[in-house]
Amino acid sequence: MAKSIKKAVPDRKSQILLSASRVFAKKGYHEASITDIIDHAGIARGTFYLYFKHKRDVFDHLLTEFLNQLDHIIKPVEIHDGAPDPLQQLKDNITNVLTLISTQPEVAKILLHLSTGLDDRSAVTASSFYNGILEMIENALKTGIELGIVRKCNTIISSVIILGTVKEVAGYLITHKNPPSIQEISNEVIQYGMNGILLAK
Amino acid sequence: MAKSIKKAVPDRKSQILLSASRVFAKKGYHEASITDIIDHAGIARGTFYLYFKHKRDVFDHLLTEFLNQLDHIIKPVEIHDGAPDPLQQLKDNITNVLTLISTQPEVAKILLHLSTGLDDRSAVTASSFYNGILEMIENALKTGIELGIVRKCNTIISSVIILGTVKEVAGYLITHKNPPSIQEISNEVIQYGMNGILLAK
Amino acid sequence: MAKSIKKAVPDRKSQILLSASRVFAKKGYHEASITDIIDHAGIARGTFYLYFKHKRDVFDHLLTEFLNQLDHIIKPVEIHDGAPDPLQQLKDNITNVLTLISTQPEVAKILLHLSTGLDDRSAVTASSFYNGILEMIENALKTGIELGIVRKCNTIISSVIILGTVKEVAGYLITHKNPPSIQEISNEVIQYGMNGILLAK
Amino acid sequence: MAKSIKKAVPDRKSQILLSASRVFAKKGYHEASITDIIDHAGIARGTFYLYFKHKRDVFDHLLTEFLNQLDHIIKPVEIHDGAPDPLQQLKDNITNVLTLISTQPEVAKILLHLSTGLDDRSAVTASSFYNGILEMIENALKTGIELGIVRKCNTIISSVIILGTVKEVAGYLITHKNPPSIQEISNEVIQYGMNGILLAK
DNA sequence: GATGAATGAGCATTCATTCAT
DNA sequence: TATGAATGAATGCTCATTCAT
């Protein structure tokens, strides 16, 4: 079983990406300097540029990689015969997303901090990602309404509410020392989605 | 009644603050340069530093001013005898917040884009504001539960959900060209809070 | 009569241009650093960029300004009735060019060092200048042949010879400590043009 | 008789020199990067430094090698009894130089582009070469004057003129697509040297 | 107060050179 | 020999901040 272990990080590129995610998560894109990143990675200045063309390049790498993972993990709710309980599918999505996020809190932080609506290339990337999610949610809601499992509602606003719910809950999960368990959080989100919180008049 | 209106903007300081809010909202804090701000305000470089010590200074000004307004507008739900319907108080809060936000979309954008969790003075300011809000919501939930008007729930997570709901909905309101009316949005948020969206058993 | 004199240099821009010409003449474009220039000018780094957009910018400024001066000083030989002796016109041109060059030896050096034929913006600028000169000379030669005052010859090659003659003589003038007088040089060039140097068999 | 030809290029060192000459001729010394050269040569980065100490090293190699060739090819005009016609010797020199130049246009370009007068080691090398040539020409002129085959003239300036003539004509030869033949050029240069071009008295 | 020329610390990026394999 | 990943000094340029007028 040889001289394997060596480092937790497999190669230089990953090493830089890891360091960059830490630094970006701590200081934000603009306040993070190349010096910060290479110091954290313990490499020379030139080495950084051996693997990435620009500062922006690492950032985009980090972002798109994470967005791709999210994309793969989020499954549109299926309703055909024999499909699992839609509620469970929903809950699975939430759990999976929160799990992925808690695995890579730094990159998640970067994504959540991205200012949608700014004149900024990365912001646009994130924005279009969120729009895609919104669309997916809205479609699910529409289908749900047709099938009678979702109450009639303004599907746009409701999608926004759901997105906000998950984003904030995710942010809470990664910025707090001892957050509730992902199970607990998912349950609560689902509960909220099923019953709201108000016990009605 | 004095020398009256003169300008839409009362004084230099406000003039700069206004310009800064526009510029920050468009480009974000880091991408916005002093040059951008003074060009927009039509003043000289030195004049800017006559009214603000740093670039950060204007930003903080903008932020705390807005946070104060929000603080004043958000009223803890009162439940004593003769108090208005709690549901209505809740709805009023939401409506008022959204209205304030839509009145000052630029500063609102700045606040919403603030990256909670960064090593950043303004971020900390915003963070503590949000924490205050969270606390307020949590207390309301607890009281509500005692009074039997709120379903038993994890009050922390639920507070986070509610905060996320309002933040995302606010973000949607100020970044879209033809958003739904504030009434409509508030209603939907309340509906969601009362019934959730899922009809499931 | 007042605090006039102050500096030999009228304004900042000229001051920078002067320093730049010295530095470029000494080290060449690439070896000259912004630091060299601002040190020579005794100004701060930022000040340089207040007056010029790029390093290249100063260089181009220097070059085109000088080329313009040359352009104005070189007069096509006129042959109509009542025009001065063509030979004298020719001599005047040479004298004027050499005089201008000796007045601004640094910029002249820059121009003469420019590598015509390189993939380089400034080189192209200089190249097209020289081509213009070549054309002018060739036209003069053709007219001269028609009028019988120039011996039949390959006008292209002869133009190149004349250009080379003046360039080399100019280079000699500015790189030597105690060069012959401009008068002497011009005379010799004219003599060479009239009789060559060989006394033929 | 051995393993013979193999490649057009005999060994690694020549291979690098060839590539370097191409690259330097196209981009100039400073704009040419080691990367350009090794890419062109199809070798690894480290290999380059196996054969040359510095970037400058290749350049100097190229330069001195070419200067040596020129040195060997240019023969001082001999005037002793039984020596060939001096005019023919002169013409042979010019023809030979132009031929050598047209054989190795890249290196020739490099030499011609060298900025005599710069704080630059190669420039100094070239400069001293040109000075040697100038001296040789001047001596020839002096002897010629003594022998009555050269008109009395300022031998320094005339040498400079002759050098400029050949340099410019050489530059023309290698930078133009369809230049006149070397014969034609040589003839014209000689004609110019014998008669000038002006017919006037 | 108001101005805008001047400042210089700070940053991203390049590239010749080295060296372990 | 040959390789190419790694290095880090050097450079051009930006921009928040100052200050003499």
Side-chain angles (χ1 to χ4, degrees):
Chain A
M1 81 253 337
K3 55 300 206 22
S4 47
I5 336 146
K6 261 201 167 183
K7 279 254 177 119
V9 177
D11 60 359
R12 270 286 145 94
K13 191 160 188 174
S14 316
Q15 182 191 4
I16 298 176
L17 282 170
L18 183 62
S19 293
S21 71
R22 296 268 162 81
V23 174
F24 284 143
K26 181 150 192 267
K27 298 191 154 191
Y29 178 78
H30 286 285
E31 294 291 333
S33 69
I34 298 290
T35 304
D36 289 331
I37 298 175
I38 62 176
D39 281 357
H40 188 283
I43 58 169
R45 193 156 283 268
T47 308
F48 175 91
Y49 288 94
L50 229 46
Y51 296 92
F52 298 96
K53 270 202 263 298
H54 318 291
K55 182 185 173 187
R56 184 53 137 285
D57 204 11
V58 224
F59 192 82
D60 288 348
H61 231 103
L62 245 21
L63 187 64
T64 55
E65 198 181 332
F66 190 64
L67 290 183
N68 277 338
Q69 293 184 59
L70 278 176
D71 242 357
H72 279 116
I73 243 178
I74 303 175
K75 309 282 187 202
V77 177
E78 300 182 355
I79 341 232
H80 55 83
D81 287 348
D85 177 19
L87 198 60
Q88 188 57 45
Q89 291 185 51
L90 191 57
K91 197 168 165 182
D92 285 350
N93 269 332
I94 295 174
T95 311
N96 288 337
V97 165
L98 293 183
T99 303
L100 179 61
I101 279 174
S102 69
T103 319
Q104 308 179 45
E106 285 92 2
V107 199
K109 214 175 202 174
I110 293 170
L111 174 60
L112 289 171
H113 289 171
L114 231 44
S115 315
T116 43
L118 244 47
D119 271 2
D120 186 310
R121 197 150 62 86
S122 329
V124 171
T125 307
S127 211
S128 78
F129 169 77
Y130 284 136
N131 284 336
I133 300 290
L134 275 181
E135 218 173 300
M136 182 188 293
I137 301 179
E138 204 192 343
N139 287 332
L141 290 181
K142 282 177 177 161
T143 318
I145 293 175
E146 279 174 24
L147 297 178
I149 52 176
V150 167
R151 135 178 98 68
K152 269 176 194 150
C153 63
N154 180 320
T155 53
I156 294 184
I157 301 178
S158 296
S159 312
V160 174
I161 290 175
I162 294 172
L163 178 60
T165 293
V166 177
K167 278 171 70 177
E168 195 73 18
V169 141
Y172 188 84
L173 179 63
I174 59 182
T175 49
H176 281 74
K177 294 284 172 191
N178 299 308
S181 75
I182 291 178
Q183 270 313 317
E184 214 172 335
I185 297 179
S186 303
N187 277 333
E188 203 67 35
V189 171
I190 294 292
Q191 280 299 324
Y192 195 102
M194 285 177 60
N195 310 310
I197 16 157
L198 298 173
L199 290 181
K201 78 236 74 45
Chain B
M1 88 270 308
K3 52 297 202 27
S4 77
I5 331 144
K6 255 200 170 180
K7 280 256 180 106
V9 177
D11 59 358
R12 274 278 150 98
K13 192 160 187 172
S14 318
Q15 183 191 3
I16 298 176
L17 281 169
L18 182 62
S19 293
S21 71
R22 296 269 163 80
V23 174
F24 284 142
K26 181 152 193 269
K27 299 189 153 192
Y29 178 77
H30 285 286
E31 294 290 336
S33 68
I34 300 288
T35 303
D36 288 330
I37 298 174
I38 63 178
D39 281 358
H40 189 282
I43 60 169
R45 189 158 286 265
T47 309
F48 175 91
Y49 287 92
L50 237 42
Y51 295 93
F52 298 95
K53 266 202 267 300
H54 319 289
K55 183 185 176 186
R56 187 53 136 287
D57 207 9
V58 225
F59 192 81
D60 289 348
H61 236 96
L62 244 21
L63 188 64
T64 55
E65 198 181 332
F66 189 65
L67 290 182
N68 279 337
Q69 292 184 60
L70 278 176
D71 241 357
H72 280 115
I73 240 177
I74 303 176
K75 309 283 186 200
V77 177
E78 301 181 353
I79 338 233
H80 55 81
D81 286 348
D85 178 15
L87 198 61
Q88 188 57 44
Q89 290 186 51
L90 190 58
K91 196 168 170 182
D92 285 350
N93 268 332
I94 295 174
T95 313
N96 288 339
V97 166
L98 293 183
T99 304
L100 179 60
I101 280 174
S102 70
T103 319
Q104 307 179 47
E106 285 91 3
V107 199
K109 215 175 198 174
I110 293 170
L111 173 60
L112 289 170
H113 288 170
L114 227 48
S115 315
T116 43
L118 282 205
D119 265 4
D120 185 309
R121 198 147 61 84
S122 328
V124 171
T125 307
S127 212
S128 78
F129 168 78
Y130 283 136
N131 283 336
I133 299 287
L134 275 181
E135 220 173 296
M136 182 187 292
I137 301 178
E138 205 191 343
N139 286 332
L141 289 181
K142 282 177 178 162
T143 319
I145 293 175
E146 280 174 23
L147 296 179
I149 53 178
V150 167
R151 135 176 99 70
K152 270 177 194 149
C153 64
N154 179 321
T155 52
I156 294 184
I157 301 179
S158 296
S159 310
V160 174
I161 292 176
I162 294 172
L163 178 60
T165 294
V166 176
K167 278 170 71 177
E168 194 75 17
V169 144
Y172 189 84
L173 180 63
I174 61 181
T175 48
H176 281 74
K177 292 286 174 191
N178 300 308
S181 75
I182 291 179
Q183 270 314 317
E184 215 173 333
I185 296 179
S186 303
N187 277 332
E188 203 68 32
V189 171
I190 293 292
Q191 280 298 323
Y192 196 101
M194 286 177 59
N195 310 311
I197 20 159
L198 298 174
L199 294 178
K201 69 224 78 26
Chain C
M1 81 235 341
K3 56 294 199 40
S4 47
I5 336 145
K6 260 199 165 180
K7 281 252 178 118
V9 177
D11 60 358
R12 270 284 144 95
K13 192 160 188 176
S14 316
Q15 181 191 2
I16 298 175
L17 282 170
L18 182 62
S19 293
S21 71
R22 295 269 163 80
V23 175
F24 284 142
K26 180 151 191 266
K27 298 189 153 194
Y29 179 78
H30 285 284
E31 293 291 333
S33 70
I34 299 291
T35 303
D36 289 332
I37 297 175
I38 63 178
D39 281 357
H40 188 283
I43 59 169
R45 191 158 283 266
T47 308
F48 175 91
Y49 288 94
L50 229 47
Y51 296 92
F52 298 96
K53 272 203 261 297
H54 318 291
K55 183 185 173 186
R56 186 52 137 286
D57 205 10
V58 223
F59 191 81
D60 288 349
H61 229 260
L62 244 22
L63 187 64
T64 56
E65 198 180 331
F66 190 64
L67 290 183
N68 278 336
Q69 294 184 57
L70 278 176
D71 242 355
H72 279 114
I73 241 178
I74 303 175
K75 310 281 185 205
V77 177
E78 299 180 355
I79 338 230
H80 56 83
D81 286 347
D85 177 19
L87 197 62
Q88 187 57 44
Q89 291 186 50
L90 190 58
K91 196 169 170 184
D92 285 349
N93 270 330
I94 296 175
T95 312
N96 288 336
V97 165
L98 292 183
T99 304
L100 179 61
I101 280 176
S102 68
T103 320
Q104 309 180 46
E106 287 90 3
V107 199
K109 215 174 199 174
I110 294 171
L111 172 60
L112 288 171
H113 290 170
L114 231 43
S115 315
T116 43
L118 244 47
D119 271 1
D120 183 312
R121 198 151 61 85
S122 328
V124 171
T125 306
S127 210
S128 80
F129 168 78
Y130 284 135
N131 283 335
I133 300 290
L134 275 180
E135 217 172 299
M136 183 187 293
I137 300 178
E138 203 191 345
N139 286 332
L141 291 181
K142 282 178 180 161
T143 318
I145 293 175
E146 281 174 23
L147 295 179
I149 52 178
V150 168
R151 139 177 94 70
K152 269 176 195 151
C153 63
N154 180 321
T155 53
I156 294 183
I157 301 178
S158 296
S159 310
V160 174
I161 292 176
I162 293 172
L163 177 61
T165 293
V166 177
K167 279 172 69 177
E168 195 72 18
V169 141
Y172 188 84
L173 179 63
I174 60 182
T175 49
H176 282 71
K177 292 286 173 190
N178 299 307
S181 75
I182 292 179
Q183 269 314 317
E184 216 172 334
I185 298 179
S186 303
N187 278 333
E188 203 69 32
V189 172
I190 292 292
Q191 280 300 323
Y192 195 102
M194 283 178 62
N195 310 312
I197 18 158
L198 299 174
L199 289 179
K201 80 229 64 51
Chain D
M1 88 276 297
K3 51 298 209 21
S4 75
I5 332 148
K6 257 203 170 179
K7 280 257 177 102
V9 177
D11 59 359
R12 272 281 149 98
K13 193 159 187 174
S14 316
Q15 182 190 3
I16 298 176
L17 281 170
L18 182 61
S19 293
S21 73
R22 295 270 161 79
V23 174
F24 285 142
K26 181 152 193 267
K27 299 190 154 191
Y29 179 78
H30 286 286
E31 294 291 334
S33 69
I34 300 289
T35 303
D36 289 331
I37 297 174
I38 63 177
D39 282 358
H40 189 282
I43 60 169
R45 190 159 287 267
T47 310
F48 176 91
Y49 287 91
L50 236 43
Y51 295 92
F52 297 96
K53 266 203 268 297
H54 319 289
K55 182 185 177 187
R56 184 57 136 284
D57 207 10
V58 224
F59 192 80
D60 289 348
H61 236 94
L62 243 21
L63 189 62
T64 55
E65 198 180 333
F66 190 64
L67 291 183
N68 279 336
Q69 292 184 59
L70 278 176
D71 243 358
H72 280 115
I73 243 178
I74 303 175
K75 309 283 186 203
V77 177
E78 301 179 354
I79 339 228
H80 56 82
D81 285 348
D85 177 19
L87 197 62
Q88 188 56 43
Q89 290 185 50
L90 190 59
K91 196 168 170 184
D92 285 350
N93 269 332
I94 296 175
T95 312
N96 288 337
V97 165
L98 292 183
T99 304
L100 178 60
I101 280 175
S102 69
T103 318
Q104 309 181 45
E106 287 91 3
V107 200
K109 217 176 197 174
I110 293 171
L111 172 60
L112 288 171
H113 289 170
L114 226 47
S115 314
T116 40
L118 281 204
D119 266 4
D120 184 311
R121 199 148 61 84
S122 328
V124 171
T125 307
S127 211
S128 76
F129 167 78
Y130 284 137
N131 283 335
I133 300 290
L134 275 181
E135 219 171 299
M136 181 187 295
I137 301 179
E138 205 191 343
N139 286 332
L141 289 182
K142 281 177 180 163
T143 319
I145 293 176
E146 280 173 23
L147 296 179
I149 54 178
V150 168
R151 136 177 97 70
K152 268 175 197 152
C153 64
N154 180 321
T155 52
I156 296 184
I157 302 179
S158 295
S159 310
V160 173
I161 291 176
I162 293 171
L163 177 60
T165 293
V166 177
K167 279 171 70 177
E168 194 74 19
V169 144
Y172 188 87
L173 180 64
I174 60 183
T175 49
H176 281 73
K177 293 285 174 190
N178 299 308
S181 75
I182 291 178
Q183 269 316 316
E184 213 171 337
I185 297 179
S186 303
N187 278 333
E188 202 69 34
V189 172
I190 294 292
Q191 279 300 322
Y192 195 99
M194 285 178 59
N195 311 311
I197 16 159
L198 298 174
L199 293 178
K201 87 221 59 350

